[in-house]
Amino acid sequence: MCHSVRVAVVAAILGALLLVCLLALGVTLRLLHDARREASNLQETVENQLTESRNPRAVQAAGRVVNKVVEAASRAREHGVGRMLVASLEDFSRWAGEQRVAIGRMAADDGTVTILFSDIEGSTALNASLGDARWVRVLAAHDELVETYVEKYRGLIVKTQGDGHMVVFSTPDLALRAALDIQRAFGAKWNTSRELRRTPITVRIGLHTGTAIERDGDYLGQNVALAARVAARARGGEVLVTSDVAEACAEDFTFTAAGTVELKGFDGEYELWQVERRLA
C-alpha cells in the first residue's frame, strides 16, 4: 500500500472517531441541559409547595439541595465531567470533615454522651387518617419544631427515620432541657405551626446517658439501643429517662418513678423515671 493511501485511511479513521466523539459530546450536553431545566422546575415547584405550608426552614433546605443539582450540571457543562467530579469529591470531603468535628464535640470530658430518641405516638394510624399529602405537612412541622430545640441546646441530630429522631447531647442537662421544651411546645396553644394547631400530635421521648461508639457519622452500641428501648416505653407527652440520667440531674429536675421494667435485648430490670419539670 502506497504512502498516500495509508495516510488517507488513517485520516478517515481519525475523522470517524472525531465524529463519534462530537456526537457523544452533543448528547451529553443535551442531557445536562435537560437536567438543569428539570432541576430549575423542581426547585420552583418545591419552593411553592413548601411556602404554602409556611415552613421557611424546609424551603431553604430544599432550595439548597436543588441548587446543588443545578450547580453540578453547570460545572459539567462549563468545565467538563472530570473537573465536576473533583469538585464534588472536595465538597463531600469538606462536609464529612465538618460532620466528624461536630460529632466529636458531642462527647463530654469523660467520653459519655446523652442519647435522645423521639417519635410520634400512633403515627401509622394518624398517617392513614390524614392521607399522605397532609401527613407530610404535619411531619414537616413536627421536624421543624424538634430541630429548633435541638439547635437551641446544642444537640446533634444523628439520624431521622420517618417520624423519629435520634439526637445526642454533650450533657444530660442539655438533653433534658431540650426534651421538656419540645414537649411543652407540642402541647402549647401558642404553637406557631398552622399544621400542628389543626392536627395536634403527641411525642414520646426517651433518654439514656453513657459511652457510645462513633463510626462514620453514626453512634452505635448498647447505650444507644437502651435509649431507644426507653423511648419505646414512653407514652405521648412523656419524657422517660434511665436512673443514670435521673441521678446526674437530680438537683435541677424533678422526677417521678415510672416503674421497674425489663427491656427487650437486655438482661435484668431497669428503673425508669418520668421527668416532671426543671427546677432552675
Side-chain angles (χ1 to χ4, degrees), residues 56-119:
R57 182 174 296 184
V59 172
Q60 294 173 1
R64 286 195 297 269
V65 171
V66 177
N67 281 337
K68 287 295 183 183
V69 177
V70 176
E71 290 170 6
S74 298
R75 285 200 300 266
R77 186 182 64 178
E78 295 171 5
H79 305 298
V81 175
R83 290 186 62 184
M84 180 193 72
L85 179 60
V86 170
S88 297
L89 290 174
E90 289 174 349
D91 290 343
F92 177 78
S93 298
R94 187 181 306 111
W95 172 85
E98 292 170 354
Q99 183 74 352
R100 183 167 293 277
V101 170
I103 287 174
R105 290 173 181 164
M106 288 300 105
D109 293 339
D110 60 358
T112 63
V113 292
T114 299
I115 306 139
L116 178 154
F117 278 90
S118 72
D119 69 353

Side-chain angles (χ1 to χ4, degrees), residues 15-93:
L17 290 174
L18 178 60
L19 179 60
V20 171
C21 291
L22 290 174
L23 289 173
L25 179 60
V27 171
T28 301
L29 292 176
R30 181 61 184 176
L31 290 173
L32 289 173
H33 174 76
D34 292 343
R36 187 180 186 187
R37 185 181 66 247
E38 291 174 5
S40 298
N41 293 337
L42 175 61
Q43 181 178 18
E44 182 178 357
T45 301
V46 169
E47 289 180 352
N48 288 339
Q49 290 178 347
L50 293 176
T51 300
E52 291 175 0
S53 68
R54 300 181 181 181
N55 190 346
R57 182 174 296 184
V59 172
Q60 294 173 1
R64 286 195 297 269
V65 171
V66 177
N67 281 337
K68 287 295 183 183
V69 177
V70 176
E71 290 170 6
S74 298
R75 285 200 300 266
R77 186 182 64 178
E78 295 171 5
H79 305 298
V81 175
R83 290 186 62 184
M84 180 193 72
L85 179 60
V86 170
S88 297
L89 290 174
E90 289 174 349
D91 290 343
F92 177 78
S93 298

Side-chain angles (χ1 to χ4, degrees), residues 195-209:
E195 292 298 335
L196 294 179
R197 290 198 306 271
R198 289 179 59 197
T199 309
I201 60 176
T202 56
V203 173
R204 308 181 301 173
I205 297 178
L207 291 89
H208 177 57
T209 191

Side-chain angles (χ1 to χ4, degrees), residues 122-130:
S123 59
T124 301
L126 187 59
N127 185 359
S129 66
L130 294 177

